């Protein structure tokens, strides 16, 4: 094996530019695949973190009629949570959120929106709800996200008129004041939502003690006794988001395949050319006592070493590059919230050990296979024909 | 077959398909070569010399007949076993030298010993001795591309002898060399034969080689037409 390794290395170095071109393309493929996969992993990790921190925490109990994808359910999806859940709320291990459909009137425009009531003292999701409690004005305090503020063209201290429908189907209206414009990373708690103190919204809507959903603190066990309320685990709440990222990853896989095909083709061609050019050498190796299988092994090894050299080269320039992107993040030139992804102003790729190991294995396997395929021809070569410089 | 036979060939026939017809390269050759012989297959191009050498070396297979090398019947051998036989007992010298281009002189000569898994120390000693023998101790780090034809063939000889094989098969070893280099090469081979009792079988139509042979086997159109003990005429 050491003989073959030595010979393979010498042959590769002897092949000069052809070797280094193949190695460069393969290393580029390797780095790009890790980088691109890291971007998606980064998006996923970021989305999960932000979703958990600002929205789903340790899981949610839904009112039995609540369906966030069906706005027509909102009017009826409210009620008092089961006693076991109320106990969790009372102990500060969960918090109620009440949803009421409504609209905002501002600058002569009417904008449909959800009014959401939340306990100002909650510490379960990362939202500055204390601003609702700290408000010392005469109006009803409301909190909106920066995206919503932009949409409304309003800021802190501005008054807007809101309209809503109470539990009996009666419309009512009131002036509210924006006590806080919160900077949130999760557009799902921003766009189309006006946050009010829970007790105020319960009173406004004639729904005392009621909620639409109850969010449980991270690390708290989810109660099976919450029935008929529907228990939603963190994973089930993030299924759509994960599926979306995975769908995008699948599209990106086309590019990976093209890149891999490019480097594999280069190495395949190089192997074919090498075997054609070195027929006499192959015959000599056989005459000196190398078995056909060992010669096949030698050429396969030569091809396989491309992947090792590519990994080394990729490590030399790729590791600092990937480290920099992972630690400093990549600035994004535009707001991607419309894309359905939760993406911050800087995207931090995540290069996990499985990603690196998996990509390494994938590249090494493909390179070795494409090295082996043309080398099989050697096994059919007659030594005398090879010595005369013929293929067969 | 005598106990000290290196090569024993009986009724050897070799056919090659060529186009739609079949060429009979060897037509019932019988030959015995003893240990330590210095013999040559002499004949014109196409007479079957190289084919016979290739079959003896296990690089080609006979159509009919039996070939025994060092007592081993080649007909029963797998490719791997034939490769092992060449690796351990047979040295080849080619007309075109066939040195491995990316290896240095030292590494080319060392190569057969690497295949035999010899230790570093054994390899170093054997390679030094072989290169000393062919007068190339000063060229150990040179690459084949930088060597003259004579030097290249001397490296090939060192490579063939370094493992001290029982048989050396030399296919037109002087065909690409000038007269002076041809004589130098042949003198080295004669010395090796005398010192190590290695059996040599040449294929040649070079009169300079013939002048060194102690046995000359004439091959014409695949038949041995004469097989005679000769007295070397070269100095």
């Amino acid at each position: 094996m050491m003989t073959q390794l030595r010979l393979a290395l010498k042959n590769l170095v002897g092949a000069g530019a052809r070797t280094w071109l193949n190695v460069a393309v393969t290393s580029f493929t390797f780095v790009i695949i890790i980088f691109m996969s890291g971007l998606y992993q980064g998006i996923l990790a970021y989305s999960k973190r932000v979703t958990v921190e600002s929205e789903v925490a340790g899981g949610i109990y839904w009112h039995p009629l609540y369906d966030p994808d069906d706005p027509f359910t909102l009017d009826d999806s409210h009620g008092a949570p089961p006693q076991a859940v109320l106990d969790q709320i009372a102990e500060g291990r969960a918090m109620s959120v009440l949803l009421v459909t409504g609209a905002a009137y501002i600058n002569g425009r009417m904008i449909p929106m959800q009014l959401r009531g939340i306990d100002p003292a909650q510490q379960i999701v990362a939202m500055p709800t204390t601003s609702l409690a700290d408000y010392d004005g005469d109006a009803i305090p409301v909190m909106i996200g920066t995206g919503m503020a932009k949409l409304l063209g309003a800021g802190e201290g501005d008054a807007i008129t809101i309209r809503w429908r109470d539990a009996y189907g009666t419309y009512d209206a009131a002036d509210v004041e924006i006590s806080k414009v919160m900077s949130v990373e999760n557009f799902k708690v921003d766009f189309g939502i006006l946050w009010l103190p829970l007790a105020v919204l319960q009173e406004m809507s004639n729904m005392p003690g009621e909620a639409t959903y109850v969010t449980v603190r991270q690390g708290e066990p989810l109660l099976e006794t919450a029935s008929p309320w529907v228990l939603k685990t963190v994973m089930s709440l993030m299924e759509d988001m994960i599926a979306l990222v995975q769908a995008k990853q699948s599209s990106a896989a086309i590019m990976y395949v093209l890149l891999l095909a490019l480097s594999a083709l280069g190495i395949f061609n190089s192997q074919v050319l090498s075997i054609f050019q070195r027929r006499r050498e192959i015959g000599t190796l056989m005459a000196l006592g190398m078995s056909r299988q060992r010669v096949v092994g030698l050429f396969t090894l030569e091809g396989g070493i491309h992947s090792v050299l590519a990994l080394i080269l990729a490590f030399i320039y790729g590791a600092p590059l990937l480290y920099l992107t992972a630690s400093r993040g990549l600035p994004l030139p535009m707001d991607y919230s419309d894309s359905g992804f939760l993406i911050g102003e800087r995207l931090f790729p995540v290069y996990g050990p499985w990603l690196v190991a998996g990509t390494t294995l994938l590249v090494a396997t493909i390179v070795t296979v494409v090295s082996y395929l043309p080398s099989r021809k050697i096994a059919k070569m007659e030594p005398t024909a090879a010595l005369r410089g013929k293929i067969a | 077959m005598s106990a000290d036979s290196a090569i024993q060939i009986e009724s050897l026939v070799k056919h090659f398909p060529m186009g739609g017809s079949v060429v009979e390269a060897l037509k019932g050759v019988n030959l015995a070569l003893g240990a330590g012989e210095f013999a040559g297959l002499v004949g014109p191009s196409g007479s079957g010399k190289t084919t016979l050498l290739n079959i003896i070396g296990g690089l080609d297979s006979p159509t009919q007949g039996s070939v025994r090398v060092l007592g081993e019947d080649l007909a029963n051998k797998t490719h791997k076993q034939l490769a092992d036989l060449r690796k351990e007992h047979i040295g080849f010298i080619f007309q075109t030298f066939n040195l491995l281009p990316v290896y240095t002189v030292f590494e080319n000569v060392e190569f057969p010993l690497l295949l035999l898994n010899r230790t570093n120390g054994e390899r170093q000693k054997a390679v030094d001795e072989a290169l000393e023998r062919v007068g190339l101790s000063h060229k150990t780090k040179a690459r084949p591309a930088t060597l003259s034809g004579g030097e290249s063939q001397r490296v090939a000889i060192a490579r063939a002898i370094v493992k001290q094989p029982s048989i050396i098969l030399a296919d037109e070893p002087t065909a690409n060399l000038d007269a002076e280099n041809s004589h130098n090469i042949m003198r080295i081979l004669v010395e090796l034969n005398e010192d190590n009792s290695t059996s040599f079988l040449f294929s040649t139509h070079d009169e300079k080689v013939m002048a060194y042979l102690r046995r000359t086997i004439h091959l014409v159109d695949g038949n041995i037409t004469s097989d005679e003990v000769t007295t070397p005429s070269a100095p």
Side-chain angles (χ1 to χ4, degrees), chain A residues 3 6-8 10-11 13-15 280-281 283-292 294 382-384 387-388, chain B residues 54 59-60 79-80 83-84 86-87 92 94 96 98 100-103 107 110-112 114-115 123 143 159 163:
Chain A
T3 310
R6 279 179 58 182
L7 191 57
K10 281 185 169 292
N11 286 330
V13 172
R280 198 183 295 274
E281 184 186 326
T284 306
L285 294 173
M286 291 179 182
L288 291 175
M290 235 186 187
S291 66
R292 288 175 178 177
R294 276 189 85 177
E382 288 301 329
T384 50
L387 280 167
R388 286 198 303 273
Chain B
N54 286 339
L59 295 172
D60 205 349
H79 283 294
K80 169 83 171 58
D84 287 343
R86 288 193 293 274
K87 183 169 72 180
F92 278 95
F94 301 100
T96 47
N98 291 29
L100 301 174
V102 295
Y103 269 25
E107 289 163 340
E110 183 191 27
F111 189 78
L114 286 169
L115 293 180
R123 294 201 305 269
R143 302 269 169 190
R159 183 177 65 184
K163 62 188 176 189

Side-chain angles (χ1 to χ4, degrees), chain A residues 132-354:
Chain A
L132 295 171
D134 296 343
Y135 175 72
D136 57 0
D138 298 328
I140 298 169
V142 297
M143 185 173 70
I144 57 174
T146 47
M148 191 65 191
K150 197 174 165 187
L151 181 73
L152 295 174
E156 287 178 10
D158 287 347
I160 51 177
T161 302
I162 59 168
R163 188 193 68 173
W164 69 94
R165 209 166 81 133
D166 70 12
Y168 305 110
T170 308
Y171 284 98
D172 202 349
D175 287 331
V176 297
E177 184 179 332
I178 299 169
S179 65
K180 175 77 178 173
V181 174
M182 60 176 174
S183 177
V184 284
E185 297 171 296
N186 183 354
F187 63 85
K188 288 191 278 182
V189 297
D190 180 350
F191 285 102
I193 299 171
L194 214 61
W195 293 91
L196 294 85
L198 177 65
V200 172
L201 185 60
Q202 285 172 333
E203 188 187 336
M204 283 163 59
S205 58
N206 282 313
M207 299 176 193
E210 295 189 3
T212 303
Y213 64 82
V214 174
T215 306
V216 179
R217 194 167 65 191
Q218 281 186 65
E220 287 296 327
L222 292 169
L223 302 173
E224 298 294 339
T225 53
S227 178
W229 283 47
V230 183
L231 189 156
K232 292 285 176 182
T233 62
V234 174
M235 282 312 292
S236 68
L237 288 164
M238 291 196 292
E239 269 173 1
D240 290 351
M241 183 183 67
I242 292 169
L244 186 65
V245 173
Q246 284 173 342
K248 290 285 178 190
Q249 273 182 308
S250 303
S251 323
I254 295 170
M255 195 180 75
Y256 305 161
V257 169
L258 287 175
L259 280 169
L260 277 170
L262 190 69
S263 64
L265 192 66
I267 291 167
F268 185 86
N269 278 341
S270 176
Q271 286 287 93
V272 170
L273 184 67
S274 178
I275 289 164
F276 182 77
Q277 283 181 331
R278 292 163 58 194
R279 290 155 296 175
R280 198 183 295 274
E281 184 186 326
I282 290 167
T284 306
L285 294 173
M286 291 179 182
L288 291 175
M290 235 186 187
S291 66
R292 288 175 178 177
Q293 289 314 312
R294 276 189 85 177
V295 182
V296 171
L298 170 68
F299 277 75
T300 306
L301 189 62
E302 274 183 33
I305 290 174
H306 276 106
S307 64
V308 177
L309 294 176
L311 294 182
I312 293 169
L313 184 63
F315 182 79
I316 290 169
Y317 72 82
L321 199 69
L322 297 180
Y323 175 76
L324 271 180
T325 56
S327 58
R328 296 191 181 178
L330 297 162
L332 296 176
M334 54 183 277
D335 183 359
Y336 283 92
S337 51
D338 290 345
S339 67
F341 287 121
L342 289 176
I343 305 177
E345 290 175 356
R346 295 185 82 84
L347 174 54
F348 290 85
V350 174
Y351 311 113
W354 288 111

Side-chain angles (χ1 to χ4, degrees), chain A residues 1-60:
Chain A
M1 188 63 188
M2 285 309 293
T3 310
Q4 282 167 298
L5 190 61
R6 279 179 58 182
L7 191 57
L9 281 170
K10 281 185 169 292
N11 286 330
L12 282 175
V13 172
R18 199 172 67 217
T19 296
W20 296 117
L21 195 62
N22 284 330
V23 166
V25 171
T26 309
S27 75
F28 178 70
T29 302
F30 183 70
V31 171
I32 286 291
I33 289 177
I34 291 182
F35 175 70
M36 293 299 290
S37 299
L39 284 184
Y40 285 108
Q41 294 294 324
I43 291 172
L44 198 57
Y46 177 84
S47 302
K48 283 180 178 174
R49 180 180 63 78
V50 167
T51 302
V52 166
E53 284 178 1
S54 64
E55 191 181 350
V56 304
I60 296 182

Side-chain angles (χ1 to χ4, degrees), chain B residues 131-184:
Chain B
L131 286 174
E132 173 92 40
R133 187 119 214 180
V134 296
L136 283 176
S137 297
H138 60 294
K139 291 268 187 180
T140 52
K141 289 181 181 167
R143 302 269 169 190
T146 64
L147 301 175
S148 67
E151 287 172 332
S152 294
Q153 194 59 298
R154 281 192 278 160
V155 176
I157 291 168
R159 183 177 65 184
I161 64 170
V162 73
K163 62 188 176 189
Q164 299 186 323
S166 305
I167 300 168
I168 288 181
L169 303 173
D171 188 9
E172 307 274 12
T174 57
N176 282 343
L177 303 179
D178 58 27
E180 186 186 345
N181 272 313
S182 296
H183 284 295
N184 288 340

